[in-house]
Amino acid sequence: MKTRDLVGKTFTIHSVRTVSTQFGDSHVGEIDLEGNFCDAWLSGVILAKQINEVLVNQLPATVTLVRDKDINGEPFRF
């Protein structure tokens, strides 16, 4: 599942792994979205910072993904 498909949705992140791509490192989370477990890209500079500094030590964590239109670039955040 792509990051943009999660905008406005609340889900639980159970684990996160780092994946190397042609664009650099990114995070893929094992999430529970409405009772369905799946892998989801958790991409973006702000999400990476939130995952690395806060969420990684608090998993599982229930979050809502939002898109902040006032921020340039990759405006996704929890």
Side-chain angles (χ1 to χ4, degrees), residues 43-64:
S43 303
V45 174
I46 296 170
L47 288 185
K49 186 174 182 177
Q50 289 180 308
I51 289 167
N52 291 331
E53 293 181 4
V54 179
L55 292 180
V56 77
N57 295 319
Q58 298 179 8
L59 295 178
T62 300
V63 297
T64 300

Side-chain angles (χ1 to χ4, degrees), residues 8-78:
K9 296 185 173 152
T10 300
F11 53 93
T12 301
I13 303 170
H14 290 276
S15 65
V16 176
R17 67 184 183 278
T18 303
V19 178
S20 294
T21 70
Q22 67 186 36
F23 304 107
D25 289 345
S26 190
H27 292 93
V28 175
E30 180 186 357
I31 68 167
D32 176 356
L33 176 63
E34 300 174 348
N36 297 311
F37 282 84
C38 62
D39 285 340
W41 290 97
L42 302 174
S43 303
V45 174
I46 296 170
L47 288 185
K49 186 174 182 177
Q50 289 180 308
I51 289 167
N52 291 331
E53 293 181 4
V54 179
L55 292 180
V56 77
N57 295 319
Q58 298 179 8
L59 295 178
T62 300
V63 297
T64 300
L65 187 76
V66 296
R67 183 174 186 173
D68 190 339
K69 295 178 184 176
D70 293 331
I71 299 174
N72 292 330
E74 300 172 330
F76 301 110
R77 64 179 174 82
F78 297 120

